[in-house]
Amino acid sequence: MDAQEFRRLGYQLVDWIADYREGLERLPVMSQVQPGEVRAAFPDHPPQHGGRMDQALAALERDVLPGITHWNHPSFFAYFPSNTSYSSILGDLAASGIGAQGMSWQTSPAATEVEEVVMDWLRQMVGLSPAFTGVIHDTASTATFTALLCAREKISGFSQNEGGLQTRAMGSAHGSRGGQRGDAERAEASGRSPLSGSGGEAPLVVYASDQGHSSIEKAALLAGFGRSFLRLIPTDDDHAIRLDLLTAAIEKDLEIGLRPCALVAAVGTTGTTALDPVAAMADLAEKHGLWFHVDAALAGTAMVLPECRWMWAGVERADSLVFNPHKWMGVGFDLSAYYVRDPQHLIRVMSTNPSYLRTAQDGQVSNFRDWHIQLGRRFRALKLWFYLMDVGVEGLQTRLRRDLVNAQWFRELIDAAPGWERLAPVPLQTISIRHIQPGLDEAGLATHNLEIARRINEGGKAYLTPSMLKGRQMLRVSIGAETTERRHVEALWALLNEAAK
Ligand code: PLP
């Protein structure tokens, strides 16, 4: 493809995207295709000859689009919103057009420095102090995994970064050969303490609530803590972590000789946007020397509103925190904001330093390859920059407030309507509800509510998520697509009542 052809197809594609967005409301929100249907529209073998881009664009509309669930549809109420604004699309296009890989400052200085600028803007926007430094990660899952690796290395004195899980085996192998030092001995000599299972030290323990996102469990397992040393603490009636039980769990672990290592607070749980008590958890973390990580994947965006910041009061005492501009904000997937208090610790955990990656500027600049797991990195900062230039802080605040008002309006409807039950407070934009059909037991209610969700989702006029909350089947209504206005929430209410009949 030459530049002329790129222009021709590019303008065509931009028009196609704008038409798609303008016509979204007429499409079924959840894709209605059957498994295998999209695949069947494609040839079994790759094209031998090129020059078929016109065919590809036609197939995009004909064969691909039916297999899309439309996350930017105004009646998307499922999961959490994942908005991709027009300006963010343009930012991604610019990033792809430039095609830079910003692993090191030198490999494209602007990729690093624009990211430093916009991550600092974002920090200010959510009211965090300059004690935090930000870096873009792909997802909150990766950021939380990184946080737990940092916790593990801090508390274990970098033992996993040295011998890792192999130390015990090496220790005994060395021992059997005689004369060589075991892990504990080496640890003592180096002034560090080895991780459990690698040198006889007590196991490290991670704490979070039983409403925490599954990415915490995944991170704890991948970081080698082991399921037996992950404590998912029960929550109260508002679905926030029970401090009394958290305190008791930490104390019990200490009593039996385990080493509490990391505490994860959820600000806005996935199920119900419940708010863990951050300040009190920070106290506990401080008292017991735990790494304190805050997962505010959705709720972080709300902190652009000063009136919401009470929800994470105490966050300043976190060691690390993550939130997702790729959720409610408007910056297209994927862009997670990871903030840390001690970038040097992060770099120590994440960096390797092979000769082919060294540059003359090392030491004077940030090389973001050392701030996360992967080496290569796209110029994601562009889409955040374009987005902020487009909407401005005030524009974003206005939209977020619209969604919060719509959520409270919907909550009031539910509270007043006979037959509907609300299962959780509504601090943000997600409402957790179920329909009560008289005479049905818990299993019957589950079937009834699943049927409501099925009817609505398969009907294509709106999309919501059925989910379980402490043994009860609920329907999650998560408001916050960029184009969702009151009339869309009203239409959902009508659909819910129709489906519940
Ligand atoms: N944490 C919370 C509270 C979430 O709700 C989610 C996803 O919805 C995640 C983490 C994981 O997000 P990501 O897809 O960015 O890994």
Side-chain angles (χ1 to χ4, degrees):
M1 185 180 301
D2 58 16
Q4 198 182 339
E5 182 70 342
F6 175 71
R7 281 201 176 87
R8 182 182 74 80
L9 291 167
Y11 294 140
Q12 201 176 313
L13 186 63
V14 167
D15 278 341
W16 183 85
I17 294 170
D19 288 347
Y20 161 67
R21 289 298 183 102
E22 281 183 336
L24 259 181
E25 206 158 341
R26 294 191 291 275
L27 300 175
V29 193
M30 186 184 81
S31 169
Q32 310 284 302
V33 299
Q34 296 304 311
E37 210 175 306
V38 175
R39 204 187 160 125
F42 280 73
D44 288 337
H45 304 291
Q48 285 302 317
H49 306 289
R52 295 165 191 250
M53 277 302 296
D54 285 306
Q55 285 175 38
L57 291 192
L60 182 65
E61 167 92 23
R62 188 189 60 234
D63 302 330
V64 176
L65 206 53
I68 296 297
T69 290
H70 305 287
W71 286 70
N72 290 274
H73 195 294
S75 296
F76 183 97
F77 298 104
Y79 306 104
F80 278 146
S82 184
N83 290 312
T84 304
S85 67
Y86 280 125
S87 51
S88 158
I89 299 171
L90 293 176
D92 249 348
L93 184 62
S96 294
I98 292 169
Q101 205 272 60
M103 60 189 177
S104 306
W105 179 88
Q106 194 189 69
T107 63
S108 276
T112 298
E113 296 193 12
V114 173
E115 180 162 333
E116 287 173 332
V117 170
V118 291
M119 290 304 280
D120 198 60
W121 287 0
L122 203 59
R123 173 191 67 70
Q124 296 169 45
M125 284 168 61
V126 296
L128 288 173
S129 82
F132 286 98
T133 309
V135 59
I136 296 175
H137 277 210
D138 52 3
T139 60
S141 303
T142 312
T144 294
F145 179 39
T146 303
L148 290 192
L149 294 174
C150 287
R152 185 192 73 189
E153 292 310 284
K154 179 158 184 220
I155 308 298
S156 72
F158 287 88
S159 72
Q160 284 298 89
N161 262 1
E162 295 195 14
L165 293 172
Q166 315 303 337
T167 312
R168 172 178 275 178
M170 288 295 288
S172 50
H174 287 161
S176 65
R177 275 189 235 115
Q180 299 204 34
R181 293 189 302 176
D183 184 60
E185 222 182 312
R186 279 197 301 277
E188 204 181 311
S190 67
R192 65 173 173 78
S193 58
L195 186 66
S196 152
S198 59
E201 284 274 339
L204 302 173
V205 189
V206 177
Y207 306 84
S209 96
D210 65 10
Q211 295 297 306
H213 189 261
S214 58
S215 56
I216 302 168
E217 181 178 355
K218 190 185 257 191
L221 299 186
L222 293 178
F225 288 93
R227 203 181 295 281
S228 321
F229 301 105
L230 171 64
R231 308 271 180 264
L232 296 179
I233 307 294
T235 47
D236 61 20
D237 290 344
D238 289 345
H239 315 294
I241 198 166
R242 279 199 36 195
L243 275 176
D244 56 335
L245 298 182
L246 173 62
T247 308
I250 295 173
E251 284 170 0
K252 182 167 172 227
D253 285 336
L254 284 169
E255 217 176 277
I256 59 174
L258 303 181
R259 284 186 297 166
C261 173
L263 174 58
V264 182
V267 177
T269 58
T270 312
T272 66
T273 68
L275 306 166
D276 282 348
V278 175
M281 291 171 82
D283 286 343
L284 268 178
E286 201 169 287
K287 179 171 172 197
H288 297 290
L290 303 178
W291 183 277
F292 186 37
H293 176 65
V294 172
D295 174 5
L298 171 98
T301 293
M303 308 310 161
V304 175
L305 302 174
E307 66 269 29
C308 285
R309 291 192 192 145
W310 62 268
M311 295 181 196
W312 72 1
V315 71
E316 280 294 323
R317 294 159 69 199
D319 292 292
S320 54
L321 77 103
V322 64
F323 77 93
N324 283 348
H326 71 221
K327 283 191 156 59
W328 189 15
M329 191 175 279
V331 184
F333 194 86
D334 50 357
L335 194 148
S336 249
Y338 183 52
Y339 285 92
V340 293
R341 296 185 67 88
D342 183 358
Q344 289 315 314
H345 179 71
L346 173 63
I347 292 167
R348 187 167 168 198
V349 174
M350 290 287 149
S351 71
T352 53
N353 194 19
S355 57
Y356 50 81
L357 291 179
R358 288 181 207 144
T359 63
Q361 295 80 18
D362 292 355
Q364 300 166 51
V365 295
S366 293
N367 289 316
F368 278 140
R369 65 169 190 267
D370 292 337
W371 293 54
H372 50 44
I373 291 166
Q374 84 278 15
L375 168 65
R377 56 198 332 266
R378 297 192 290 124
F379 196 169
R380 287 193 183 90
L382 275 184
K383 61 183 168 183
L384 176 55
W385 176 44
F386 275 27
Y387 175 73
L388 295 177
M389 294 299 283
D390 179 41
V391 296
V393 176
E394 283 183 13
L396 175 58
Q397 287 175 330
T398 303
R399 181 170 64 73
L400 298 176
R401 287 192 179 114
R402 175 203 66 182
D403 297 341
L404 292 177
V405 169
N406 280 341
Q408 289 309 320
W409 177 83
F410 188 71
R411 179 189 61 75
E412 283 165 19
L413 275 184
I414 294 289
D415 288 353
W420 289 94
E421 184 187 12
R422 180 164 56 84
L423 300 178
V426 184
L428 291 165
Q429 41 58 273
T430 300
I431 306 102
S432 309
I433 59 173
R434 67 175 178 169
H435 187 254
I436 304 290
Q437 186 91 293
L440 292 181
D441 61 8
E442 208 51 62
L445 284 175
T447 310
H448 174 60
N449 280 276
L450 280 172
E451 180 58 16
I452 295 173
R454 191 193 63 75
R455 283 186 194 166
I456 291 179
N457 293 344
E458 290 184 7
K461 293 223 172 329
Y463 185 35
L464 46 74
T465 305
S467 176
M468 296 297 288
L469 180 66
K470 297 176 182 166
R472 289 177 294 176
Q473 180 65 55
M474 65 164 174
L475 305 170
R476 276 172 82 267
V477 174
S478 196
I479 297 171
E482 216 179 0
T483 49
T484 304
E485 298 292 347
R486 175 67 58 84
R487 68 185 171 88
H488 301 105
V489 188
E490 282 168 3
L492 174 70
W493 181 229
L495 286 171
L496 279 163
N497 283 299
E498 184 58 34
K501 277 183 192 159

